[in-house]
Amino acid sequence: MKHVAIIGYGAIASHVIRAISSSSAIRLGGVIGRAERLAAAREAVGQDVAVVESIDGLATRPDLVLDCAGHPGLIAHGAGILERGIDLVSVSAGALADAALYETLARAASASGARLRIASGAIGGLDVLSAARHGGLDRVTYRGRKPVASWRGTPAETVLDLDTLMDARIHFRGTAREAARLYPKNANVTASVALAGIGFDATEVELVADPTCTSNCHELEAEGAFGNFSLRLNGYQLADNPKSSALTAMSMINAALSLEEPILVA
């Protein structure tokens, strides 16, 4: 029996918990939440699941921890989990644009032998990028195209008049590191592409507000010694939380259920 713990208890975590409950080989070992919101977490996940404020509060050492909480969860708990030699899968790639946090987590993982894995999340093609970088990548470009409403409350409002926008407009063009800093709520896909490929400072990013979009569109282009490829993925949001990608939840479910798979596709 494998034990999995989860950081967070929101929409993505709820989907993962339901998937684990259907497995005969994996057991939910507990949920890690913020100290001031443990009561809310217990109400969300039920009384049969241990809810604690740190990895040390779990009665059973998990084989794997899934960070479903976003950047604050990885910042608060990532190093402590990795220092204990426990593998961690995170949806919070954007947090790693902070070089200091990246180094802290890398040192913790290296010292214990644990690994931090970034979930593929809302985009595909990262396996191609990861393989191609070993032969040499010349260019990687990510373009995020989203409905106008998705860009409200972001720096896009200082570049475009979102209320009167009639056609698709680029409101950001720069590096992945700049995108992650300026658009933290939209940074995870950008950061995942950067980590899989040529890094935060060499990855080119364009962010687009498109009033004709009905879903989030992710476009990825790369070229190098391997050749070239392009990918376009239209992703839907979770029905119970429009701010979260359905594919992100599915990628975390895949990470959990892969513990019981004897053969995996790398």
Side-chain angles (χ1 to χ4, degrees):
M1 179 69 68
K2 300 289 187 179
H3 288 80
V4 173
I6 294 176
I7 303 173
Y9 52 90
I12 292 175
S14 296
H15 282 262
V16 176
I17 289 170
R18 285 197 292 272
I20 290 175
S21 68
S22 67
S23 170
S24 60
I26 302 172
R27 177 174 295 170
L28 180 61
V31 170
I32 302 171
R34 284 183 287 177
E36 68 275 16
R37 299 192 63 191
L38 294 186
R42 291 189 181 97
E43 183 177 350
V45 303
Q47 296 300 314
D48 295 333
V49 178
V51 177
V52 298
E53 59 182 281
S54 75
I55 188 69
D56 293 331
L58 295 175
T60 301
R61 174 188 172 92
D63 298 286
L64 179 69
V65 176
L66 303 176
D67 163 32
C68 300
H71 298 191
L74 182 61
I75 293 168
H77 303 289
I81 290 166
L82 294 169
E83 286 170 354
R84 288 155 179 77
I86 301 170
D87 286 350
L88 174 63
V89 179
S90 177
V91 298
S92 308
L96 297 178
D98 182 331
L101 177 64
Y102 184 101
E103 289 301 321
T104 295
L105 296 176
R107 285 196 300 269
S110 297
S112 70
R115 285 190 174 183
L116 168 60
R117 289 185 286 142
I118 299 301
S120 57
I123 194 171
L126 300 185
D127 54 339
V128 177
L129 275 184
S130 185
R133 69 180 177 180
H134 296 293
L137 282 165
D138 299 323
R139 181 181 64 88
V140 177
T141 301
Y142 166 75
R143 182 177 298 105
R145 185 185 301 267
K146 295 185 178 183
V148 169
S150 297
W151 301 112
R152 297 194 186 280
T154 76
E157 292 183 320
T158 66
V159 180
L160 303 173
D161 185 349
L162 298 179
D163 293 327
T164 62
L165 194 66
M166 300 298 292
D167 54 8
R169 296 289 181 88
I170 296 173
H171 57 83
F172 172 86
R173 184 183 282 115
T175 68
R177 192 178 302 279
E178 292 170 321
R181 179 177 62 84
L182 293 173
Y183 295 83
K185 293 184 178 179
N186 296 278
N188 285 329
V189 171
T190 303
S192 296
V193 169
L195 290 165
I198 54 178
F200 283 97
D201 297 312
T203 301
E204 302 168 8
V205 174
E206 292 181 354
L207 301 179
V208 181
D210 188 345
T212 68
C213 273
T214 57
S215 62
N216 294 339
C217 178
H218 306 287
E219 300 174 1
L220 177 60
E221 298 176 356
E223 59 185 49
F226 76 99
N228 62 79
F229 88 98
S230 61
L231 176 148
R232 179 186 175 106
L233 189 153
N234 291 309
Y236 297 129
Q237 296 84 18
L238 287 174
D240 49 351
N241 185 354
K243 294 183 179 181
S244 297
S245 160
L247 192 55
T248 297
M250 295 171 192
S251 70
M252 295 300 276
I253 290 171
N254 185 59
L257 298 187
S258 66
L259 287 173
E260 61 181 337
E261 295 293 338
I263 298 175
L264 296 173
V265 177

